Amino acid sequence: MPAITLVGAQWGDEGKGKATDLVGNRVDYVVRYQGGNNAGHTVVIGDQKYALHLLPAGILSPDVVPVIANGVVIDPAVLFEELRGLRERGVSTERLLISANAHMIMPYHRALDKVTERFLGKGRIGTTGRGIGPTYADKISRTGIRVQDMFDPKILRQKLELALHDKNQVLTKVFNRRGVELEQVFDEYMEYAEELRPFVADTSLELNRALDAGKTVYLEGSQGTLLDIDHGTYPFVTSSSPTSGGACAGAGIGPTRIDKVVGIIKAYTTRVGSGPFPTELHDEWGDWLRQKGGEYGVTTGRNRRCGWFDAPIARYATRINGITDFFLTKLDVLSGLERIPVCVGYQANGTRYDEIPMTQTEFHHAVPVYEYLDGWNEDISHARAFEELPKTAQAYVRTLEEMAGAPMSAIGVGPGRDQTLELRSLV
Ligand code: GDP
Ligand code: IMO
Ligand code: MG
């Protein structure tokens, strides 16, 4: 059986948690392959709502083995808090596997994330302040601390000494903040090590063996294509590779293992934090989408910026990720509009663009060119088959499908587990 990758096709918060939960009882492993607790994935099961930050949403499915793979960055305090919260709600957590190669978010990473943002002022990225960027920066600089380093006190101390040599200079001399005390961090992380130990495994080996044995592995992306460090709206991006290529490196699986890439995409667009967003609405329609769609951040509680569907972005996501199927979420939110604007291209500096322009400057100046599709008034949240949707809603989906370049295989009509029309099996 195959590996399936799930990716956000826009700027995150497309409904990845719900999509993972939908297939939870049909897969054997659910793997987080990048990002950290900057993510916020919501799963609604009956009257219970769960917000997951670091754990894969598959942890809520009793037969799934949830995996935090090598590409993820781990804040141990957050991990244990999240595990504790789930256990208190009756969710079993002992199946969790954590890669020995995943990198640790350290207190100085969180501190640096915050001071850098403050320093940038108006030019800030609008990060989640969780230390994600500085942790990945250390990973690439080869000064990071991995899960396995915490099991050898001598190595942990050595690596901490090396890291703090620079970090404390920067915190105290550049940013005028308090430095980080080596012994304090050392003791704190030695305690975490004991709590982590039972979960730690060679997750790449485990996943490859599982695939050999015919099991299904589901790779749950966080963030989204336009937040990708290489393919997103740099520098207004996260510091990892949420796109499908990142899934292989982040999980230790070869690309030939993956035979489906599911793109999660909203029927409109949202973004949290700074950076270009051509279809953003600054008027009452932006407020309308925010209120109707409940567009408030799961992690930071910030208002999400809202705008209409952007077809060049959908096409871009199809291209960059090799998307084979889309899961179109939040179609229900658009009920009540007479006409629905859909962005089909841009104008920038007197030039018409049918695709995302090559340079960030052009994208910053991109003004959307809209086509107007017919809306519908009916509440569609009770629909359970495509044919039960109003004809104009069906046409909206079909038009988006054509523009995006891959089939809309599932459609979300509400946050609940059962509020999904699955036109083609996602697994
Ligand atoms: P993620 O980060 O991609 O997992 O998405 P978030 O959980 O941050 O944000 C998606 C929000 O939309 C959550 O509150 C979900 O419960 C909700 N949601 C997901 N799919 C649908 C849908 O089809 N309709 C509606 N109304 N809400 C949805
Ligand atoms: P999920 O998985 C939406 C955004 C931040 C900021 C930028 C960099 O729930 O879709 P970071 O803290 O990662 O260095 O911040 O990325 N961002 C997200 N936006 N959904 C997310 O995750 C996000 N994770 C990070 O708002 O603009
Ligand atoms: Mg989210």
Side-chain angles (χ1 to χ4, degrees):
M1 280 296 277
I4 297 150
T5 304
L6 169 97
V7 292
Q10 295 155 320
W11 276 287
D13 303 324
E14 299 90 349
K16 297 177 291 290
K18 179 185 151 154
T20 301
D21 180 59
L22 177 74
V23 300
N25 59 359
R26 289 178 260 163
V27 301
D28 300 298
Y29 289 78
V30 174
V31 185
R32 275 281 311 267
Y33 58 84
Q34 47 69 234
N37 57 306
N38 47 350
H41 297 176
T42 318
V43 179
V44 180
I45 306 172
D47 60 358
Q48 293 290 308
K49 185 170 171 176
Y50 300 87
L52 298 162
H53 298 287
L54 187 52
L55 293 166
I59 199 158
L60 300 172
S61 305
D63 297 324
V64 157
V65 179
V67 178
I68 294 179
N70 56 278
V72 175
V73 290
I74 299 175
D75 188 325
V78 173
L79 173 72
F80 300 136
E81 190 52 43
E82 207 165 307
L83 287 170
R84 207 167 300 127
L86 287 179
R87 276 197 296 269
E88 277 167 16
R89 294 175 72 177
V91 177
S92 107
T93 58
E94 65 270 12
R95 304 176 317 281
L96 177 68
L97 298 179
I98 298 176
S99 168
N101 288 348
H103 279 246
M104 306 301 298
I105 300 181
M106 308 300 288
Y108 45 87
H109 293 135
R110 288 192 300 268
L112 285 168
D113 193 355
K114 292 195 177 114
V115 290
T116 312
E117 281 284 276
R118 209 164 300 146
F119 167 76
L120 285 170
K122 273 181 139 177
R124 68 183 173 272
I125 314 288
T127 72
T128 58
R130 303 299 194 257
I132 306 295
T135 307
Y136 278 112
D138 274 5
K139 173 177 174 173
I140 301 301
S141 308
R142 297 165 292 190
T143 52
I145 294 177
R146 294 174 300 170
V147 166
Q148 59 181 285
D149 299 330
M150 302 205 310
F151 300 133
D152 185 332
K154 205 168 137 219
I155 286 199
L156 178 62
R157 189 182 290 277
Q158 262 175 14
K159 295 206 166 188
L160 264 175
E161 268 168 11
L162 181 70
L164 286 179
H165 173 74
D166 288 19
K167 305 293 184 241
N168 275 342
Q169 298 281 333
V170 174
L171 281 169
T172 55
K173 300 203 174 130
V174 179
F175 293 108
N176 208 17
R177 301 280 142 167
R178 271 224 315 257
V180 172
E181 193 54 56
L182 188 142
E183 288 309 322
Q184 205 177 328
V185 185
F186 179 80
D187 291 346
E188 188 186 341
Y189 277 68
M190 284 305 290
E191 264 184 50
Y192 293 145
E194 285 322 300
E195 219 174 320
L196 265 181
R197 203 185 282 270
F199 299 111
V200 178
D202 182 341
T203 53
S204 164
L205 180 64
E206 170 91 16
L207 292 172
N208 278 283
R209 283 194 174 148
L211 286 164
D212 290 342
K215 309 254 194 234
T216 305
V217 172
Y218 192 82
L219 302 151
E220 177 188 339
S222 48
Q223 288 80 50
T225 302
L226 276 295
L227 287 173
D228 186 277
I229 186 79
D230 283 283
H231 302 290
T233 46
Y234 191 91
F236 303 102
V237 292
T238 193
S239 299
S240 65
S241 304
T243 45
S244 61
C248 294
I253 287 179
T256 46
R257 294 285 202 175
I258 294 176
D259 75 4
K260 234 182 201 190
V261 179
V262 179
I264 315 297
I265 194 159
K266 265 182 212 184
Y268 50 96
T269 313
T270 64
R271 165 162 214 178
V272 193
S274 325
F277 176 3
T279 64
E280 180 173 18
L281 294 161
H282 298 282
D283 57 9
E284 65 272 24
W285 288 110
D287 298 333
W288 185 86
L289 281 174
R290 186 173 308 109
Q291 271 170 24
K292 225 167 153 230
E295 298 297 353
Y296 308 97
V298 181
T299 298
T300 55
R302 287 178 287 180
N303 277 0
R304 291 177 182 155
R305 299 158 65 191
C306 298
W308 303 120
F309 188 83
D310 188 321
I313 284 180
R315 251 190 324 271
Y316 182 74
T318 304
R319 204 158 69 228
I320 295 287
N321 295 293
I323 288 172
T324 56
D325 298 79
F326 273 109
F327 185 153
L328 181 71
T329 60
K330 298 205 145 180
L331 188 63
D332 54 299
V333 174
L334 296 181
S335 292
L337 293 168
E338 205 175 308
R339 292 185 326 152
I340 310 173
V342 169
C343 168
V344 294
Y346 316 101
Q347 285 285 350
N349 308 326
T351 307
R352 159 84 192 226
Y353 295 87
D354 294 323
E355 303 296 339
I356 295 184
M358 189 179 75
T359 70
Q360 190 80 2
T361 312
E362 291 161 312
F363 197 48
H364 260 292
H365 293 117
V367 177
V369 175
Y370 286 117
E371 240 175 50
Y372 295 85
L373 306 183
D374 289 336
W376 58 92
N377 269 319
E378 295 88 332
D379 171 8
I380 59 169
S381 61
H382 300 288
R384 291 296 173 270
F386 189 67
E387 297 67 37
E388 289 173 27
L389 294 175
K391 284 278 175 290
T392 47
Q394 293 186 19
Y396 185 77
V397 174
R398 291 299 177 216
T399 307
L400 262 45
E401 178 171 85
E402 219 166 275
M403 292 173 171
M408 298 288 168
S409 297
I411 299 163
V413 293
R417 202 179 230 185
D418 58 334
Q419 290 178 298
T420 304
L421 323 178
E422 205 171 343
L423 280 57
R424 254 169 39 127
S425 178
L426 289 180
V427 180

